[in-house]
Amino acid sequence: MTKKNQKGKPSKSSDSGLIDITRKKFRWSDYLAEKVIKGTAFLSITIIVLIFFFVFRESLPIFYSAKSTEQTETAGNASSVQETYGEVTDKPAAPEVQETYGEVTDQSNTQEQYGEVKDTSAPADSVEKAYTVSAGSGFDDNRSALKSLLTKDWVPVSEKPRYGILSLIIGTFKITIISILFAAPLAILAALYTASFAGKRLKEIIKPTIELLAGFPSVVIGFFALMVLATFLQEIFHYETRLNSFVGGIAMGIAAIPIIFTITEDALTAVPKTFNEASLALGASKWQTAFLVILPAATPGIFAAVLLGIGRVFGETMIALMATGNAAMMDLNPFTSVRTLAATIGAEMAEVVFGDTHYNVLFLIGSLLFIFTFILNAIAEFYVKGKLMKRIQGK
Amino acid sequence: MIKSFKKNIKGILIEGLTLSSALLIIAIVVVMVTVIVIGGKDQISWEFLTSFPEDGMTKGGIFPAIYGTALLVIIMSVAAVPFGTITAIYLTEYAKENSVIAKTIRFAVRTLAVIPSIIYGLFGLGFFIKFVGTQMDNTFLGGQLKWGQPNILWASLTMALLTLPVVIVSVEEALKTVPKDLRAASLALGATKWQTIWKVVIPGSISGIMTGTILAVSRGAGEVAPILFTGVAYYVATLPSSLSDQFMVLGYHIYVMTTQSANVDKTMPIQFGTTLVLLALTFILNISAIVLRYRIRKKKTN
Amino acid sequence: MTREKIHTENMFLYYGSKLALNDISIQIPEKKVTAFIGPSGCGKSTFLRSLNRMNDLIDGVKIEGNIFIDDINIYDNNIDVVTLRKKVGMVFQKSNPFAKSIYENVAYGPRINGVKEKKQLDEIVETALRNAAIWEEVKDRLGDSAMGLSGGQQQRLCIARTLAVNPEIVLMDEPASALDPLSTSKIEELIVQLKEKYTIVIVTHNMQQAARISDLTAFFYLGELIEFDKTKKIFTNPDKKQTEDYITGRFG
């Protein structure tokens, strides 16, 4: 009989004896490998949960007054909630808070940061006037912060900070609409061409180009927009403010084209070939087939593509920081500067005091962005799956 | 006759319209590249690439930004590629095809892929810096502030999370090109499941792992939002020598220079030069990945 | 007197709720070639795969009854399946060499068994390739990729790969069905030689092949073992009418 080795080494079969199969062997490497692999795979789920948790966590404080001292609406409520908060690491004693506020005074020096772009739009800087140097004047009141959320003045650095995100939301929507109006038709039509009309040669030019565009860092697109596109568009449309939501929107549209194109193209090519053949066999021409049969059949996928394009633009930071003028205006004119939600986080987070109300509000904005894109993605997935299934299996 | 003529016109119009859309997109890309190349090509020189910035960024080179970018993506890859590969292995080799677990993980991966990059920055700040970092400081350094602040380690890890989905998707695609009967052959020879994965499946998917890594590196080199407040700086006098140092990167350099530098005229050539370097870098990486992926797909259809 | 190497008693196999193998009891002797024949879908491949527990890899497969190899029940809980598969090797319908060199393909089995020394591996590889009647053709290009071989050569390489692990039983699932007639006859010659050292069980849809090379033949139909006897008898004077109908080509 063959000798069995320990520690999971498979037994060698000797020449004369028969192989012994009757003892189940425990193989360490297999066991370990399986455990490690399974554990690691759950990481991606864990990460999402963690992101959710930690981003929200930092925004929670404004939902109850952890450190109110000013006259206006003092705390007194939500104290029960405080216990469940867990580690109260950012519930500093009063003196500590004061120290950090000392740093805040330096904000006066860094205010140029908020001014962002040089060649802006003088009128757009109405917000700057509201910036007063806050030399340790008073404590932030989280409840008033909460109340001010739905107002339109985003003035986080001032004697009476106001966190009105309405202008930011409007700005974000303005830009999103402009960019999608620009990018979606372009990308969808181009995808239609690639899927239905293009010869092999042209396909091999178009698709790699789109992939390259997808690889463009947003900083580079923002740079292009700031340096070239803004001037170019200003020559054509003759608007006053050089950097505005129109420029930013076009630039973001450029960034969104690849994703809308790719998903639309996938949707179009996923339409069963039999549809194509049936239509042609009935005497329809190529374009009729493409436009009247294939395109409608791919609608769920195209819808998903646009949704994902919206998601991409909604959260885009660098292009917004570089090409939109960064002034929180609240009008519907595409040719005025805007400030988006993402840009606000990007611009201000580095300067903010940890644990400050401003800090919390920025995290709140981040949470909103997270939820929004999450929902967008979920709709894209489930809607597409649902509708697609129905179509392919027959209504 | 007129009807079919009208139909033809319609057809030509539609085909023309869609073709022009495609051409317009190509034109935009070409214009962007051309502008940047023209604006920046004169800047590119050996000195530019290897020296430090001087005189408030109006002179000198961008070496620390290149160095920082490289260091960032290396640390990022060390974190992201193994985790991503292992997750992909789980999905294709261990999980049952339509199990709840597999579907949940895939949904999680797709969600991660669409989260705005700035959110990763927030997470990096709230989790890595303020949670892990301060815990590390409290446990190992008695409260002294070292790890609880932005540095290259946290920035790299944040970037690794961002690029994790890219790695997972690429590796999964490559794993699937290994035919099922190769696994069967290995098992029929008396190999264990792990031996089969290690000696047959993974070697057969190396190109996919490489593709995923290259794509991740390309994104990591170009993204700026996740590192805005997790470690990057506009000017650091010395190259980062430890994980707790801050660092410079090309993308952030471009951003700050173009929006906040005091002397736009003097820095403009450098702006273009830096942008050209970044663009060239991502181009090379993306093209390599495209070529690799093309080879993988060819192998599959063979 | 030849011992029964493999014997099954009242073996049933279910794919989910569907009965695929119905009460198979058979005794397969050592060091002979046993052929399984029958029309497509009759279960012969499924039964073959049960003998080295490759069916374990398919979800929803359930086995009842007993399969014994050397009087050991291979579906017992204590059985180490990995070692079982070293004892019972398998050659597949479509050749599936690894994307490695010819040498590495054959050395794969011994390597995972812990053989590390080059000299030993060289010996094993050469012996296996000789036993598979392909040594002369590849001895000068052992480092070349296995994918560069022709279909017939690849299949013989796969046989060599299986032999390198030194099994006692070699299961073959229609090994020549994807090959041209010349390669097929080479494989058939090989099988007849192999039975000196190994117990061979071969599934084939080619009746003439079964008649040519096997010592015993089992006829399967719709998941049942209809008849099992010496090949000569099955093909000249079968007991059951179904067998006769199949042999004479009335169906299948």
Side-chain angles (χ1 to χ4, degrees):
Chain A
M1 287 294 273
T2 343
K3 260 210 280 269
K4 206 153 255 72
N5 299 337
Q6 293 90 346
K7 282 266 170 93
K9 279 212 195 78
S11 64
K12 297 195 186 75
S13 59
S14 67
D15 284 24
S16 50
L18 299 170
I19 304 173
D20 181 7
I21 62 173
T22 54
R23 245 184 292 151
K24 200 152 196 171
K25 288 227 298 278
F26 182 71
R27 295 180 166 87
W28 273 109
S29 46
D30 259 65
Y31 179 73
L32 268 178
E34 185 167 337
K35 291 301 168 208
V36 166
I37 292 178
K38 277 196 177 159
T40 311
F42 281 82
L43 198 69
S44 40
I45 305 183
T46 317
I47 292 176
I48 296 239
V49 172
L50 278 181
I51 294 182
F52 202 72
F53 177 67
F54 273 91
V55 170
F56 265 112
R57 180 186 186 246
E58 301 295 322
S59 65
L60 283 178
I62 73 164
F63 287 110
Y64 42 86
S65 43
K67 37 188 168 196
S68 64
T69 44
E70 283 277 86
Q71 354 64 300
T72 40
E73 26 260 316
T74 19
N77 52 345
S79 41
S80 50
V81 187
Q82 276 176 326
E83 273 132 28
T84 59
Y85 184 54
E87 36 192 319
V88 204
T89 44
D90 45 1
K91 194 182 184 234
E96 259 183 69
V97 180
Q98 257 172 345
E99 273 148 33
T100 51
Y101 262 69
E103 284 171 45
V104 176
T105 47
D106 292 340
Q107 292 234 352
S108 46
N109 301 340
T110 56
Q111 289 223 313
E112 280 124 31
Q113 307 268 16
Y114 292 119
E116 232 62 45
V117 199
K118 242 124 292 16
D119 40 350
T120 337
S121 34
D125 278 2
S126 54
V127 186
E128 278 220 302
K129 295 199 206 98
Y131 282 10
T132 50
V133 177
S134 55
S137 48
F139 297 102
D140 275 355
D141 188 348
N142 293 345
R143 276 205 79 216
S144 75
L146 193 54
K147 280 197 169 196
S148 72
L149 268 183
L150 288 183
T151 60
K152 57 186 181 70
D153 291 326
W154 175 259
V155 187
V157 183
S158 74
E159 226 178 83
K160 270 187 110 188
R162 293 191 296 290
Y163 299 99
I165 58 177
L166 266 189
S167 51
L168 305 177
I169 295 184
I170 302 243
T172 314
F173 268 104
K174 245 169 56 172
I175 267 212
T176 308
I177 294 176
I178 294 177
S179 60
I180 295 298
L181 283 180
F182 171 70
L186 259 187
I188 295 176
L189 287 174
L192 185 60
Y193 182 80
T194 316
S196 305
F197 301 117
K200 196 152 180 267
R201 261 319 233 357
L202 212 48
K203 254 194 222 183
E204 283 176 12
I205 299 182
I206 298 182
K207 289 182 81 163
T209 309
I210 302 273
E211 275 204 60
L212 279 180
L213 180 58
F216 266 59
S218 4
V219 195
V220 173
I221 300 183
F223 176 77
F224 175 73
L226 172 59
M227 288 291 164
V228 176
L229 196 59
T231 323
F232 175 69
L233 290 176
Q234 194 167 33
E235 308 271 304
I236 299 188
F237 292 93
H238 302 294
Y239 43 75
E240 249 188 64
T241 335
R242 186 169 170 273
L243 295 180
N244 50 46
S245 65
F246 184 66
V247 174
I250 303 283
M252 289 217 201
I254 297 179
I257 285 178
I259 191 170
I260 302 182
F261 177 93
T262 311
I263 300 188
T264 304
E265 211 238 339
D266 282 347
L268 288 169
T269 49
V271 173
K273 291 281 182 289
T274 49
F275 284 43
N276 203 16
E277 289 162 1
S279 170
L280 291 174
L282 285 170
S285 65
K286 228 172 32 166
W287 72 264
Q288 281 173 321
T289 309
F291 210 65
L292 302 171
V293 175
I294 313 258
L295 193 57
T299 311
I302 300 180
F303 183 69
V306 175
L307 277 186
L308 288 176
I310 293 180
R312 169 92 172 80
V313 171
F314 212 75
E316 171 56 50
T317 310
M318 298 318 292
I319 299 183
L321 281 174
M322 293 170 89
T324 59
N326 274 303
M329 310 281 281
M330 242 196 58
D331 56 51
L332 293 179
N333 180 358
F335 297 118
T336 54
S337 294
V338 290
R339 195 148 209 220
T340 65
L341 294 164
T344 308
I345 303 177
E348 299 178 12
M349 186 52 91
E351 308 300 322
V352 124
V353 168
F354 167 62
D356 194 5
T357 308
H358 190 186
Y359 174 89
N360 297 137
V361 175
L362 287 179
F363 265 91
L364 179 67
I365 297 180
S367 313
L368 290 176
L369 278 178
F370 180 85
I371 297 181
F372 185 79
T373 37
F374 185 88
I375 293 180
L376 220 53
N377 185 45
I379 296 180
E381 254 190 56
F382 293 116
Y383 172 77
V384 173
K385 283 223 184 94
K387 279 275 170 119
L388 264 183
M389 281 304 122
K390 269 205 238 153
R391 270 175 206 247
I392 292 184
Q393 292 164 1
K395 286 181 214 158
Chain B
M1 249 290 275
I2 303 226
K3 227 182 167 187
S4 67
F5 182 65
K6 267 206 202 150
K7 243 178 47 173
N8 272 335
I9 294 277
K10 261 202 204 159
I12 297 178
L13 278 178
I14 290 196
E15 196 163 334
L17 185 65
T18 53
L19 176 60
S20 345
S21 307
L23 291 179
L24 181 56
I25 296 179
I26 298 182
I28 293 178
V29 177
V30 168
V31 166
M32 281 204 284
V33 174
T34 316
V35 161
I36 294 175
V37 167
I38 293 183
K41 65 176 171 30
D42 295 325
Q43 245 332 92
I44 307 296
S45 65
W46 185 247
E47 290 82 51
F48 183 64
L49 296 174
T50 54
S51 50
F52 275 69
E54 294 163 23
D55 246 350
M57 310 292 175
T58 57
K59 287 211 279 266
I62 52 170
F63 178 65
I66 299 180
Y67 184 85
T69 310
L71 198 53
L72 174 77
V73 299
I74 291 177
I75 304 178
M76 173 202 84
S77 306
V78 164
V81 173
F83 275 116
T85 307
I86 295 180
T87 306
I89 292 180
Y90 175 77
L91 285 174
T92 51
E93 309 293 324
Y94 285 89
K96 295 221 178 73
E97 189 53 43
N98 274 322
S99 65
V100 177
I101 305 277
K103 285 201 217 168
T104 316
I105 293 184
R106 289 211 168 91
F107 178 70
V109 171
R110 278 194 296 265
T111 308
L112 280 175
V114 297
I115 292 181
S117 43
I118 189 96
I119 306 288
Y120 283 96
L122 285 178
F123 179 68
L125 180 61
F127 179 70
F128 286 124
I129 296 181
K130 291 304 176 188
F131 183 65
V132 177
T134 39
Q135 290 298 344
M136 279 171 68
D137 284 340
N138 290 338
T139 330
F140 300 125
L141 299 173
Q144 185 195 355
L145 186 65
K146 181 176 184 207
W147 292 105
Q149 51 188 356
N151 57 40
I152 193 168
L153 174 63
W154 303 135
S156 307
L157 290 183
T158 306
M159 201 63 94
L161 290 183
L162 178 74
T163 53
L164 195 61
V166 169
V167 177
I168 295 179
V169 168
S170 300
V171 174
E172 222 195 327
E173 198 183 336
L175 289 173
K176 288 196 172 148
T177 62
V178 176
K180 281 210 171 97
D181 46 342
L182 284 193
R183 295 180 180 83
S186 171
L187 291 170
L189 288 168
T192 64
K193 184 174 187 125
W194 173 242
Q195 280 172 324
T196 305
I197 294 178
W198 183 243
K199 290 176 179 273
V200 176
V201 179
I202 292 185
S205 334
I206 289 288
S207 41
I209 299 179
M210 272 169 44
T211 307
T213 310
I214 294 177
L215 287 175
V217 165
S218 172
R219 270 203 85 181
E223 284 279 352
V224 178
I227 55 176
L228 276 178
F229 29 83
T230 51
V232 75
Y234 184 42
Y235 182 71
V236 188
T238 54
L239 297 176
S241 53
S242 98
L243 287 175
S244 57
D245 287 340
Q246 295 200 311
F247 60 104
M248 293 164 68
V249 295
L250 292 167
Y252 186 66
H253 209 71
I254 299 172
Y255 163 60
V256 179
M257 230 194 321
T258 51
T259 54
Q260 286 160 39
S261 79
N263 202 331
V264 184
D265 292 322
K266 286 224 184 112
T267 56
M268 184 145 10
I270 300 193
Q271 292 170 23
F272 270 93
T274 317
T275 309
L276 179 57
V277 171
L278 179 59
L279 190 60
L281 179 66
T282 44
F283 253 34
I284 296 174
L285 289 171
N286 272 294
I287 293 183
S288 324
I290 292 178
V291 167
L292 259 181
R293 209 197 288 140
Y294 175 69
R295 288 224 208 122
I296 295 178
R297 297 223 173 114
K298 248 177 85 171
K299 183 176 134 197
K300 193 171 193 184
T301 49
N302 273 357
Chain C
M1 204 187 64
T2 38
R3 228 176 66 200
E4 318 153 338
K5 188 76 172 166
I6 308 173
H7 82 263
T8 74
E9 288 170 6
N10 308 111
M11 183 257 189
F12 294 78
L13 185 146
Y14 298 85
Y15 282 123
S17 54
K18 184 172 155 232
L19 180 64
L21 289 172
N22 192 356
D23 203 3
I24 312 286
S25 299
I26 190 172
Q27 283 150 24
I28 299 174
E30 166 177 50
K31 299 205 177 145
K32 298 249 186 259
V33 178
T34 304
F36 291 173
I37 62 171
S40 304
C42 63
K44 48 194 200 293
S45 286
T46 310
F47 181 58
L48 189 80
R49 282 200 307 271
S50 311
L51 298 178
N52 66 350
R53 292 187 61 169
M54 284 301 271
N55 279 331
D56 288 6
L57 303 174
I58 304 176
D59 272 338
V61 164
K62 219 172 44 139
I63 307 238
E64 281 172 15
N66 298 312
I67 300 186
F68 297 90
I69 297 186
D70 286 334
D71 296 322
I72 302 171
N73 185 345
I74 63 173
Y75 280 89
D76 191 70
N77 277 331
N78 284 330
I79 294 298
D80 188 44
V81 179
V82 172
T83 319
L84 171 68
R85 294 192 186 128
K86 295 198 232 271
K87 181 175 167 115
V88 184
M90 180 172 253
V91 177
F92 296 78
Q93 184 171 357
K94 191 166 168 307
S95 60
N96 48 15
F98 301 128
K100 301 180 199 272
S101 68
I102 296 175
Y103 183 94
E104 284 303 323
N105 261 278
V106 185
Y108 182 79
R111 272 198 212 276
I112 58 179
N113 281 341
V115 178
K116 287 202 190 35
E117 220 193 275
K118 183 148 195 327
K119 231 173 140 245
Q120 236 187 321
L121 282 171
D122 286 350
E123 253 184 69
I124 297 178
V125 169
E126 184 176 334
T127 314
L129 288 169
R130 281 190 192 279
N131 286 342
I134 193 179
W135 171 250
E136 291 301 319
E137 289 165 58
V138 300
K139 66 179 183 203
D140 295 322
R141 44 176 178 147
L142 293 176
D144 287 358
S145 168
M147 313 307 273
L149 296 173
S150 74
Q153 288 172 320
Q154 281 188 7
Q155 192 62 304
R156 278 180 285 148
L157 175 65
C158 291
I159 295 178
R161 183 176 63 182
T162 309
L163 297 180
V165 181
N166 210 5
E168 293 162 22
I169 303 170
V170 179
L171 306 174
M172 299 195 176
D173 193 350
E174 304 201 36
S177 63
L179 302 176
D180 61 273
L182 190 57
S183 309
T184 304
S185 64
K186 281 201 182 146
I187 302 253
E188 289 182 7
E189 271 175 44
L190 177 55
I191 294 177
V192 173
Q193 285 170 16
L194 286 176
K195 74 175 179 191
E196 282 180 49
K197 301 200 189 103
Y198 311 93
T199 305
I200 314 271
V201 184
I202 172 171
V203 165
T204 176
H205 65 263
N206 183 339
M207 280 189 283
Q208 289 78 17
Q209 182 175 83
R212 280 194 292 268
I213 63 176
S214 66
D215 302 304
L216 296 114
T217 302
F219 171 59
F220 286 81
Y221 183 60
L222 292 182
E224 284 183 21
L225 175 61
I226 306 293
E227 195 172 340
F228 175 56
D229 214 320
K230 291 207 177 55
T231 300
K232 198 151 176 241
K233 180 161 189 323
I234 293 276
F235 281 95
T236 54
N237 185 19
D239 284 337
K240 300 263 167 56
K241 183 168 190 310
Q242 273 168 308
T243 318
E244 187 174 343
D245 286 346
Y246 181 69
I247 305 287
T248 54
R250 287 217 191 98
F251 68 91

